[in-house]
Amino acid sequence: MRADRVFAYGAAAGLVGDLLLGDPRRGHPVAAFGRAAGAVERVLWRDHRGWGSLHAVVCAGGAAALGALAARAVRPSPAASVALTGAATWAVVGGTSLAREARVIGRALEAGDVEAARARLPHLCGRDPQALDADGIARAVVESVAENTSDAVVGALVWGAAAGVPGLVGFRAVNTLDAMVGHRSPRYRRFGWASARLDDVAGWPGARLTAVLAAMAGDDRRGAVRAWRADAGRHPSPNAGPVEASFAGALGVRLGGTLSYGGRVEHRPVLNRDGRAVDVPDIERAVRLSRRVGLLALGACAAARLVVSLVKGHGK
């Protein structure tokens, strides 16, 4: 079986598995990677970029190498190759858990239980929940749904299409490392620099594809493109900017503004300034848009892999 079909069938099976099963409560492969990366960090940590770079190479490179070895081992069997791709896709994507957490918070807000929503918010993002009212929580959820659509779904599919199982697990390893050590705390300002920059590079193509697909699948295509062009470059993150701006325009809402992380207040630019303020029902709208983007990304990545295979075949 050709590699493009292995990816298409396996990735589709993995997304179906995520839809039906979500993430396991115990024994998740990403959690196991996190524990391993934490153990490596305890050995390698120094307040130095070089040691942080070594940590990133050992952890992300090791995950991709294991994926490559597994893919090579099952290569003689098309069925096993599809199964491995499906299992890897299911392990690295997180669309169902993302939707579930967003909806739990949305239901709490609809019931007027702001304290329950605050208690649940750390499951979705790193904002300081006590600093947010109901509208601020709703905005944080929509922004997290947008950003994680790229990080937890589309980016993995892009790298899976480009590099198969090693691409899938390698991308998720990089993304996980960024979440662990990529923030600018005193401990990780230098040590986490390489992981943060690597995540920026790895996330670049998926973020742009997410922004394009959000514009295509949203309620306001022109608004999405307009917000992306006008506001994405003002966001401090080179990848979250296009995604959140496109989602903001597609949904017709304003995102960005003042927020708080770990007691540190940040004043970020407003995305889609002409949109309205986020309301609680926009959480469900963002989740549905995220779902559509994920399905479109699967089709786009499978088609791109097919085109590359055909071009290579004609070139022989």
Side-chain angles (χ1 to χ4, degrees), residues 94-106 117-127 137-148 261 283 287:
T96 294
S97 294
L98 173 64
R100 182 187 299 131
E101 292 296 337
R103 284 170 169 157
V104 167
I105 297 171
R118 286 188 178 125
R120 197 71 185 184
L121 187 63
H123 290 80
L124 190 64
C125 65
R127 306 283 176 89
I137 293 172
R139 175 168 64 85
V141 172
V142 171
E143 290 173 354
S144 295
V145 168
E147 184 174 2
N148 283 293
Y261 281 103
I283 293 176
V287 168

Side-chain angles (χ1 to χ4, degrees), residues 61-121:
L66 287 175
L69 289 173
R72 184 175 181 178
V74 302
R75 189 174 299 164
S77 170
S81 296
V82 170
L84 178 64
T85 302
T89 302
W90 167 77
V92 304
V93 301
T96 294
S97 294
L98 173 64
R100 182 187 299 131
E101 292 296 337
R103 284 170 169 157
V104 167
I105 297 171
R107 286 194 294 269
L109 292 175
E110 288 173 352
D113 193 346
V114 178
E115 286 304 317
R118 286 188 178 125
R120 197 71 185 184
L121 187 63

